[in-house]
Amino acid sequence: MSSSGILMRIDDTGRVIDCSPLACEMFGCAEEEIVGQCVGALLRESLTDVTRRRAPRGGMDSVMVKPVLTGSSVVWEVRAAEDTASGLDLAILQVMFTHSPMGLHVLDDSLRIVRANVVTCGLRDARGDSLLGQVFTEAYQLDAPEQEEAAARRVLESGKPELNRLVRCSPASASCKPGVQSVSYARLENERGEVLGLVASMLDVTDRERALQRLKMLEQVRKRVGERLEVTAVCEELADAVVPAFAGIVVVEVIENVVRGEEPPLAPVDRDVPLRRAAFRGQVSAHPVGEVRNLPYGTPYSRVLSDLRPRLVPIEEDSLWLAADPARAEAIRRSCAHSLIVAPTLLRNWWGLRGESVGEAFEAAGADRAERLVAPVGVEAHHVDC
């Protein structure tokens, strides 16, 4: 064997592929007697046959095993090591690879996965061995794989870790959902400073990032909306604050009498009360801004103005309420929207819309509201994935 320090190489079945003269001396066998043998059998034989057992040269009583990819298979290199990990170190590694909340990957210097922990299988919805041999940045459907590959190679070259990189991932299977991962890279070295590869960790922070985005959007709504008394101007401010920070589409419809300067009615709002489309942001609009019409009965919009309860509504092809408003149903279909929030905006006084009420309407989607005075605005915010 030409590689310095390698005692032997073992294939994934546990059989010796080749060995060094030092390994022959340790086992007291010729190379042809070792190659092809199961390493477990060799160890048992060397421990039971006193006449053939040899003490390792130079007092060496420990080895280091390293997985190396050769083509599409894994070969295990057994090297002489001066020190091995203590029992505590091994226990820590065992916990990290079985109970850690984050996905752990051991990568070789070509960024191919040679080992992955239990959580990683859950991230991929796949068996751990299906990841072996895949390039890390290709194993996950990253939105920007080139950037992650560049970051990983920087760590390989410099040894300086890159931590907590927010990376968006698309689903690897139909049962997984898109999300945000916090990815970190650290260089893996042996005791002589030789670069073995990388450790890449992934932690799902989707819920945290969505919560932060939601809080940021609400703060923007509070800052930007409701400083002016003119109703349609406030509606435009609201639409600008919601898209694209919170949703892909927003529709703001105002009770027509309020636009004319009259007080907003008490809930429940009569089904014949006309509404004006005051603002729209998105690609496909069912009705032009400025159009005045009655809301079709039996839709989430008419129900919201009756009970003042914001709603999160999934959009499905067989949703019965879509048939009550064909124009809006067609706009939703063409926009590829998968859900919508329909929320009334409530007023505590009649001096104009306040941004606090708008933000609270979104924040309380699905919750009861105590106020009886309905706002002049019914807000429809669509979520879009396509």
Side-chain angles (χ1 to χ4, degrees):
M1 295 178 61
S2 58
S3 297
S4 175
I6 299 178
L7 295 174
M8 63 178 65
R9 293 188 178 93
I10 305 168
D11 66 16
D12 56 4
T13 68
R15 297 190 178 277
V16 179
I17 300 173
D18 53 17
C19 64
S20 68
L22 179 56
C24 295
E25 181 181 346
M26 291 175 62
F27 285 106
C29 300
E31 181 178 354
E32 57 270 19
E33 294 179 276
I34 296 177
V35 173
Q37 294 294 315
C38 175
V39 69
L42 284 170
L43 289 173
R44 285 193 299 270
E45 184 179 356
S46 66
L47 292 174
T48 55
D49 188 349
V50 177
T51 62
R52 295 180 58 186
R53 188 170 48 149
R54 297 284 192 274
R57 190 175 62 183
M60 180 174 49
D61 58 1
S62 60
V63 296
M64 178 180 67
V65 181
K66 170 190 172 184
V68 177
L69 283 171
T70 58
S72 59
S73 62
V74 177
V75 171
W76 300 86
E77 289 184 353
V78 181
R79 291 174 175 265
E82 295 179 359
D83 297 294
T84 55
S86 67
L88 177 60
D89 292 336
L90 292 175
I92 292 171
L93 287 174
Q94 180 70 16
V95 169
M96 290 297 290
F97 270 84
T98 56
H99 301 295
S100 171
M102 67 178 65
L104 293 176
H105 313 74
V106 179
L107 314 181
D108 66 9
D109 55 8
S110 296
L111 305 184
R112 294 174 297 186
I113 299 172
V114 297
R115 186 174 179 185
N117 70 340
V118 175
V119 171
T120 298
C121 304
L123 291 172
R124 282 267 308 180
D125 191 28
R127 302 192 325 272
D129 57 4
S130 68
L131 293 172
L132 297 182
Q134 295 190 51
V135 176
F136 174 73
T137 53
E138 297 174 0
Y140 299 89
Q141 296 183 19
L142 308 182
D143 285 3
E146 299 85 1
Q147 294 181 13
E148 290 313 298
E149 181 177 354
R153 294 199 178 281
R154 284 197 300 270
V155 177
L156 269 177
E157 294 171 3
S158 68
K160 182 179 179 181
E162 296 217 8
L163 308 176
N164 300 321
R165 294 175 56 85
L166 293 182
V167 180
R168 295 190 176 276
C169 300
S170 299
S173 70
S175 62
C176 299
K177 296 181 179 180
V180 181
Q181 301 287 333
S182 175
V183 180
S184 299
Y185 303 101
R187 194 163 75 179
L188 188 62
E189 303 175 358
N190 63 17
E191 69 280 359
R192 293 183 294 276
E194 298 171 341
V195 178
L196 305 179
L198 294 177
V199 173
S201 66
M202 296 181 73
L203 180 65
D204 190 339
V205 294
T206 304
D207 291 341
R208 183 195 75 185
E209 290 303 306
R210 286 176 177 170
L212 290 174
Q213 182 184 24
R214 182 168 172 263
L215 290 174
K216 182 179 179 180
M217 188 279 299
L218 291 175
E219 182 62 25
Q220 289 299 314
V221 169
R222 293 187 179 100
K223 288 180 178 179
R224 296 174 56 181
V225 177
E227 295 303 320
R228 291 184 285 177
L229 300 181
E230 205 274 311
V231 172
T232 56
V234 173
C235 295
E236 292 287 339
E237 290 174 345
L238 174 58
D240 289 336
V242 172
V243 176
F246 182 75
I249 306 166
V250 68
V251 176
V252 185
E253 296 189 331
V254 183
I255 295 174
E256 173 65 8
N257 289 347
V258 174
V259 180
R260 298 178 182 278
E262 300 179 16
E263 292 189 1
L266 296 176
V269 177
D270 190 275
R271 60 185 295 182
D272 295 326
V273 170
L275 276 74
R276 174 183 296 190
R277 179 161 292 205
F280 173 82
R281 296 291 183 274
Q283 297 296 321
V284 182
S285 179
H287 306 282
V289 173
E291 180 176 289
V292 178
R293 65 190 191 91
N294 298 333
L295 284 178
Y297 181 72
T299 66
Y301 322 105
S302 59
R303 294 191 184 101
V304 161
L305 293 184
S306 296
D307 59 20
L308 302 187
R309 295 179 58 189
R311 287 169 168 80
L312 174 61
V313 183
I315 299 172
E316 302 173 352
E317 291 184 4
D318 57 352
S319 298
L320 296 178
W321 62 268
L322 290 173
D325 194 344
R328 197 189 300 255
E330 175 62 15
I332 289 174
R333 185 192 66 78
R334 293 173 57 191
S335 300
C336 301
H338 62 77
S339 62
L340 60 88
I341 290 176
V342 185
T345 306
L346 308 173
L347 292 176
R348 291 185 175 86
N349 55 62
W350 178 230
W351 294 106
L353 278 170
R354 300 302 304 166
E356 296 80 15
S357 297
V358 174
E360 289 167 2
F362 279 98
E363 193 168 15
D368 291 327
R369 298 291 297 193
E371 292 89 338
R372 291 287 296 169
L373 187 63
V374 72
V377 179
V379 180
E380 168 193 344
H382 293 261
H383 293 252
V384 179
D385 265 349
C386 67

